[in-house]
Amino acid sequence: MAPESDVATEAVGLRTHPLTSVVQGALWAAAASVGLIGSIFTGDGWGDMSAVLSLVISLVGGLLLGMGFGFLTWLFTRYVIDGSELRINSGIVTKASRRIPYERLQSVDIAEPLVARIFGLAELRIEMAGGKDSRTSLRFLRLADARDLRRVLLARAHGTAPDESPVAEQRTIITVVPPERIVIGTVLSLDFLFAAAGSIALIVGAIWFGQLVVALGGIIPLGTWLAQIIAKRILQQWEFALSRGHGGLRIERGLLSRTSQTIPYARVQGIAIKEPFVWRRLGWLRLEVDVAGYAAHGNDEGVASSSILLPIADRTLAESVIAELIPGFDVDVPRTAAPRRSRPFAPIGWRYRWVGANERTFVAREGWIERTTSIVPHHKTQSVELRQGPLQRRRRLATVEVHTPQGPVDADGRNLDADEARGVVLAQLARARAARS
Amino acid sequence: MDDLFTPPSGDWQRVSPKLATIRRILILIPSSVLVIAGVLLSLLLADFQWIGGLLSVLALGGAVWGWLWAGRNQRSWGYAENADDLLVTRGVMFKRLVAIPYGRMQFVDVEAGPLARAYGVATVTLHTASPETAADIPGLPAAEATRLRNRLTELGEAHGAGV
C-alpha cells in the first residue's frame, strides 16, 4: 500500500479547480486593503502617497501576489482517493503528503467564502480527532464536486462503499430559522442594545457639544463592536437551516459566506442552553454544542466551524433537537440547589444555581442575566472534580465540576453544600460507570 | 470536615517526602542568593542599609514559609486506584479531589526533571479529552511511577470507551 517514499511526488491524482489562484488572489487583495483602510482611518497611510493611490497599489499588488502564489500552490497540489485513505500532496519547495485514513475522519465541512462563492467554488474541510493540526482543507473545488467528495468521504467513514449509498442524500429539514427572527433576536440582545445606545449617545453628545474629534475616539471602538455583533449574529447565521441525515445533523448558514457543517450524533459531548436576559421573557433561547475537535480551532476564520446548534429557537423546537442528540434528556431532574449561605459568593446568582441528574444526563444551571443550562450525557463524562477554598470551607460549601472536552459547555455546580457536593461527585461517578458498561 | 476529601473506599496512597525536599531545595537556592545579596548590599552601601536589611528579612521569611509550605503540601497529595476510577487529591488551603474513570484516559505522561531524577522521583500525568482534567501526581518513586503508568495504560485499554 505504501509507496517507496512517504513524500514522493505523485504525478497522479486530481487537481483542485484552476480558478483557485484567482480566488486566492482576491482573498489576498481583500486582506491587504482591509489592513490599509484601517491604517488610513487612524491617519498613518503610506507616507506622502494619497490614500486612493495606496489603496489601488495594495489591491493590485495583493491580487497579483496572491494569484501567483495561488497558481503555484494549485500546480503542486493533487489529491487521491483510494480504497483506504485520502491522500493530499502539496508544497512547492517543501513537499508534504498527508494521508487521511477514512476511519479516523471525524467530520467533513464545506465552506464557501464570499469570493469563492462568486466563482461557484467551495473549500472542503476535513477534521480528524487530535491537536491543533488536525484540520486539512482542500481549496478550492467546484461546489458540486465538493459535495460529491464529502458524500463519498462520509460514506467511507461510516464503513459503506460510496456506490451503495444513494446518489442524492436523504435529508429532512428540521427547521429553517427565518432571517427576520435572527435580526429581531440580535436587536433584543443586551450587548447589541448597549453598543447601539452607546453609539447613539456619543453621536448626539458630539453634535450637541460640537466636539466631533473627541467623540470619534469612542465611536470607532463602539462601532467596531457593533459591526462584529452584526457580522457574527446576523450575517453568519443568515438562513440557518438545520436538517437531519443519516449519521448526523447538518447545519447550513451564512449570507455572504456560506458554511455547511455536519454534527455526527456520536460526537456530541454536551449541549448548553443559553437564555439571554431579554429573550427569556419571550421564551427564546440559543443552543450551543460541544463537539470534540471543533473548539480547538477557535473562530479565527469567521466562517470556521462554529459551535452554534440553533441561533434562536423556542422551547419546543429546542427540546426536540436536544432529544434527538441526547436521548433521555429532561430538565426536570432531582436538583441540588446552592444553599442560602453561598450568598456572599454570588449575591443574586445563588438563587439560580443548581445541579441535577437523571439516569441519562447531568444538568447544571446558573446565571441570572444570561441563564445557562449545561447538559452532559453520563457516558461522555471525562472526569469529575470536587474542590474547596478556605472561604468556602468556613461556610461549609464546595464546588463540583463535570469535565467535558473544550467547548461552550461548562457543567459546574459552584458553592453547593459541601456534603451534598461530595454526594453529587460520588453519584456522578457511579452513573458514568453505569452508562459506560 | 476532613472526611469531605477522603476516598470513597480504601486510603490515600501518599507521595514520597522527597517531593518536599526537592521543593525546599528549589526554594532555598533563590532565597539564599537574595539573603546574601541583601547582606552584601547593607555592608557595601552604608546609606542604603535598610534596603539590604529589608531584602534579607523578606527572603528569609519567604524561605521559612516555603519550607513549611513544602512539607504541608507534600503531605496533602494523595491518590487512590479504585476499581473503575483513579482519584487524586491535593491542596491544604485550596483542596481538590479529581476522579477520572480509567476508560476516559487518552494518554499518560511520566516526567522527571534533573533534580527529581537525582532523588529518584517522577511526575505521572493522566490526560483525558478535557483540558480541565488536572490529574498529575508529582513525587512518585521511579519504580512506582512506572508501575502506575503501566497499570493505567492497561486499565485504560481494558475500559476504553473512545472519546
Side-chain angles (χ1 to χ4, degrees):
Chain A
M1 191 174 73
E4 330 66 71
S5 159
D6 268 2
V7 286
T9 321
E10 290 176 79
V12 293
L14 304 162
R15 282 219 166 106
T16 53
H17 199 274
L19 278 177
T20 299
S21 56
V22 180
V23 176
Q24 196 80 41
L27 283 175
W28 279 36
S33 49
V34 163
L36 195 67
I37 287 172
S39 59
I40 287 173
F41 262 107
T42 52
D44 295 341
W46 278 358
D48 310 331
M49 224 182 279
S50 79
V52 179
L53 187 64
S54 58
L55 201 62
V56 169
I57 289 176
S58 72
L59 267 174
V60 173
L63 190 67
L64 288 179
L65 271 175
M67 277 177 70
F69 182 72
F71 177 73
L72 284 175
T73 322
W74 171 78
L75 199 65
F76 287 95
T77 303
R78 286 166 191 274
Y79 63 95
V80 185
I81 310 166
D82 69 12
S84 60
E85 58 187 12
L86 169 70
R87 254 194 326 274
I88 299 175
N89 299 314
S90 62
I92 304 163
V93 180
T94 312
K95 297 282 176 201
S97 172
R98 177 169 273 204
R99 278 129 204 278
I100 302 161
Y102 298 130
E103 67 272 12
R104 294 292 159 78
L105 204 136
Q106 292 284 347
S107 79
V108 186
D109 296 346
I110 292 175
E112 300 164 71
L114 181 59
V115 192
R117 210 174 149 207
I118 294 170
F119 293 100
L121 299 180
E123 176 187 343
L124 196 72
R125 295 196 179 130
I126 300 155
E127 299 269 2
M128 291 189 286
K132 279 199 177 331
D133 204 24
S134 60
R135 168 187 286 173
T136 315
S137 53
L138 208 52
R139 61 177 100 176
F140 290 91
L141 303 169
R142 277 219 322 277
L143 184 55
D145 290 347
R147 288 207 174 120
D148 248 18
L149 191 54
R150 168 165 72 178
R151 193 177 50 75
V152 171
L153 289 176
L154 285 177
R156 290 260 170 91
H158 289 127
T160 50
D163 14 292
E164 285 169 24
S165 63
V167 179
E169 286 182 287
Q170 297 292 314
R171 301 216 147 260
T172 39
I173 299 278
I174 298 173
T175 184
V176 177
V177 182
E180 63 270 17
R181 206 163 176 201
I182 287 179
V183 174
I184 294 170
T186 308
V187 168
L188 288 180
S189 60
L190 277 185
D191 46 358
F192 179 87
L193 287 176
F194 182 75
S199 311
I200 291 168
L202 266 176
I203 292 170
V204 169
I207 293 170
W208 188 264
F209 294 107
Q211 298 278 330
L212 270 175
V213 185
V214 179
L216 216 57
I219 288 171
I220 288 175
L222 268 178
T224 322
W225 187 27
L226 208 58
Q228 272 173 356
I229 293 175
I230 291 173
K232 232 180 126 176
R233 308 253 182 86
I234 299 184
L235 301 185
Q236 284 187 25
Q237 313 299 340
W238 199 264
E239 282 178 359
F240 191 101
L242 186 67
S243 56
R244 180 189 302 123
H246 108 104
L249 295 182
R250 169 79 48 89
I251 290 170
E252 279 167 339
R253 61 188 170 82
L255 176 65
L256 303 175
S257 303
R258 294 283 295 171
T259 309
S260 162
Q261 66 189 94
T262 312
I263 299 179
Y265 296 121
R267 280 183 67 213
V268 173
Q269 305 281 334
I271 294 181
I273 306 172
K274 302 216 165 163
E275 297 167 87
F277 190 73
V278 185
W279 290 20
R280 199 156 68 227
R281 275 140 192 83
L282 301 164
W284 295 342
L285 45 84
R286 185 170 71 236
L287 289 187
E288 295 183 11
V289 66
D290 247 15
V291 176
Y294 267 3
H297 304 293
N299 223 354
D300 47 327
E301 287 165 65
V303 283
S305 309
S306 128
S307 51
I308 291 180
L309 180 60
L310 261 182
I312 182 165
D314 52 31
R315 194 155 281 282
T316 7
L317 175 64
E319 273 171 9
S320 72
V321 171
I322 297 174
E324 197 152 328
L325 291 173
I326 304 180
F329 155 73
D330 193 0
V331 182
D332 293 318
V333 291
R335 294 171 184 184
T336 309
R340 202 184 161 75
R341 49 174 203 281
S342 71
R343 223 169 127 177
F345 296 102
I348 299 172
W350 72 273
R351 291 168 194 276
Y352 305 101
R353 264 188 200 151
W354 53 264
V355 298
N358 63 4
E359 63 282 1
R360 301 298 300 269
T361 54
F362 179 81
V363 184
R365 156 83 54 90
E366 71 174 346
W368 61 281
I369 295 176
E370 179 169 276
R371 185 176 297 167
T372 305
T373 315
S374 305
I375 306 153
V376 180
H378 292 323
H379 62 281
K380 298 289 187 191
T381 304
Q382 294 292 335
S383 55
V384 191
E385 180 169 329
L386 176 71
R387 59 156 132 219
Q388 190 182 46
L391 292 175
Q392 285 180 317
R393 187 151 46 247
R394 292 186 65 156
R395 295 204 154 242
R396 282 181 295 117
L397 301 170
T399 293
V400 177
E401 288 183 2
V402 173
H403 296 148
T404 55
Q406 203 170 14
V409 179
D410 221 3
D412 300 348
R414 280 185 279 162
N415 303 320
L416 304 178
D417 176 85
D419 295 323
E420 283 180 357
R422 182 177 159 88
V424 168
V425 167
L426 297 183
Q428 186 55 28
L429 283 174
R431 285 192 212 102
R433 186 181 313 136
R436 281 195 309 273
S437 51
Chain B
M1 220 49 240
D2 269 322
D3 50 350
L4 195 61
F5 289 91
T6 51
S9 62
D11 278 319
W12 290 121
Q13 301 243 44
R14 293 299 171 182
V15 303
S16 161
K18 284 174 185 162
L19 177 67
T21 316
I22 292 168
R23 284 177 168 172
R24 279 170 184 157
I25 292 172
L26 287 176
I27 291 166
L28 280 185
I29 291 171
S31 49
S32 49
V33 168
L34 282 178
V35 169
I36 292 167
V39 170
L40 283 179
L41 204 65
S42 52
L43 288 179
L44 294 176
L45 299 169
D47 294 347
F48 296 102
Q49 257 182 356
W50 62 276
I51 293 186
L54 193 67
L55 191 66
S56 311
V57 170
L58 282 180
L60 209 61
V64 171
W65 179 83
W67 186 276
L68 297 174
W69 169 84
R72 260 160 63 95
N73 185 274
Q74 179 268 319
R75 284 191 296 277
S76 76
W77 283 92
Y79 63 98
E81 295 159 72
N82 277 8
D84 296 280
D85 329 275
L86 173 78
L87 290 105
V88 183
T89 188
R90 72 160 184 241
V92 180
M93 289 301 272
F94 293 88
K95 286 178 192 281
R96 282 161 165 252
L97 185 155
V98 190
I100 308 108
Y102 295 127
R104 288 288 151 211
M105 184 201 74
Q106 297 290 321
F107 57 96
V108 187
D109 274 342
V110 181
E111 279 178 284
L115 199 58
R117 271 206 308 280
Y119 278 88
V121 296
T123 303
V124 172
T125 312
L126 184 67
H127 293 269
T128 69
S130 168
E132 291 171 290
T133 306
D136 45 332
I137 314 170
L140 287 173
E144 169 69 2
T146 315
R147 184 201 67 82
L148 191 63
R149 184 202 49 202
N150 292 342
R151 180 162 163 74
L152 288 177
T153 318
E154 200 177 289
L155 285 167
E157 274 163 15
H159 290 69
V163 175

